[in-house]
């Protein structure tokens, strides 16, 4: 059976079919996303790089339909999540980063306008044919943080709470602080 994520149809065809696509794909099926994650992990020493990071799963669903009763405005409701491997920009150690995205997109051509649908994000299509995999990949890429970092302080070795480490750290304004406290 063919994978509907890779099928190409017009947005109106997807919506008219009321297509619901359940997603459970490895990151290796998303070329651009895999390239971004791979480039980030390439900065690590080979011993620190996580094994089988390409097997991380992208999960979720896409629900196609129409936003209006006349069937003129195709839309897709997206709920996507992935746990990707990343490098913390504070401590430069690998960690697992959860990326989630929930949105309701209007699928319109470049010149089309939808009055009264301000609650929905407009996805402008430059081609008449649409591949759901491209939507999923683009949403995940846009959801990636600019600088990936550990969420909890305990996991980040750069933010160690040990007092010895903080005392040894040199700051550019340490001399100024000493002068201010002496006065």
């Amino acid at each position: 059976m063919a994978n509907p994520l890779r099928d190409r149809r017009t947005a109106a065809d997807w919506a008219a079919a009321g297509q619901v696509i359940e997603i459970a794909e490895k990151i290796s099926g998303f070329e651009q996303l895999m390239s971004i994650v791979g480039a980030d992990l390439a900065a690590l020493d080979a011993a620190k790089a996580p094994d089988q990071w390409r097997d991380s799963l992208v999960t979720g669903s896409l629900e196609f339909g129409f936003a209006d009763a006349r069937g003129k405005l195709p839309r897709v409701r997206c709920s996507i999540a992935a746990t990707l491997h990343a490098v913390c920009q504070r401590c430069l150690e690998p960690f697992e980063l959860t990326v989630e995205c929930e949105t309701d997109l209007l699928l319109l051509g470049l010149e089309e306008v939808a009055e009264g649908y301000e609650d929905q994000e407009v996805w402008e299509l430059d081609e008449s044919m649409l591949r759901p995999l491209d939507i999923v990949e683009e949403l995940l890429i846009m959801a990636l943080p600019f600088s990936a970092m550990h969420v909890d302080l305990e996991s980040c070795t750069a933010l160690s709470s040990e007092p010895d480490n903080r005392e040894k750290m040199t700051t550019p304004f340490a001399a100024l602080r000493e002068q201010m406290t002496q006065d």
Side-chain angles (χ1 to χ4, degrees), residues 16 18 39 69 78 94 105 116:
C78 309
L105 302 172

Side-chain angles (χ1 to χ4, degrees), residues 125-157:
L125 304 172
D126 55 353
E127 296 179 17
S128 62
M129 302 303 273
L130 171 69
R131 190 171 74 150
L133 182 129
D134 296 332
I135 293 173
V136 172
E137 186 168 46
E138 189 69 26
L139 288 173
L140 286 173
I141 289 171
M142 290 188 310
L144 289 173
F146 184 68
S147 292
M149 292 181 257
H150 285 104
V151 176
D152 57 335
L153 301 177
E154 294 80 30
S155 299
C156 189
T157 58

Side-chain angles (χ1 to χ4, degrees), residues 70-90:
R70 298 176 315 189
K72 299 287 183 188
L73 298 172
R75 64 126 186 94
V76 60
R77 287 191 182 122
C78 309
S79 178
I80 305 163
T83 301
L84 309 172
H85 293 282
V87 178
C88 176
Q89 297 304 301
R90 287 186 189 123

Side-chain angles (χ1 to χ4, degrees), residues 107-120:
L107 305 171
L108 303 178
L110 291 176
E111 301 299 321
E112 293 180 292
V113 177
E115 297 289 328
Y117 291 90
E118 289 77 26
D119 293 347
Q120 293 175 305

Side-chain angles (χ1 to χ4, degrees), residues 42-113:
L44 291 173
D45 291 335
K48 288 185 178 181
D51 294 334
Q52 301 174 345
W53 62 269
R54 291 173 185 87
D55 294 337
S56 300
L57 280 180
V58 174
T59 60
S61 66
L62 300 176
E63 298 176 21
F64 288 90
F66 288 104
D68 62 331
R70 298 176 315 189
K72 299 287 183 188
L73 298 172
R75 64 126 186 94
V76 60
R77 287 191 182 122
C78 309
S79 178
I80 305 163
T83 301
L84 309 172
H85 293 282
V87 178
C88 176
Q89 297 304 301
R90 287 186 189 123
C91 67
L92 302 177
E93 294 293 328
F95 74 105
E96 288 186 351
L97 172 69
T98 301
V99 179
E100 297 176 325
C101 179
E102 286 199 33
T103 189
D104 195 359
L105 302 172
L106 284 179
L107 305 171
L108 303 178
L110 291 176
E111 301 299 321
E112 293 180 292
V113 177

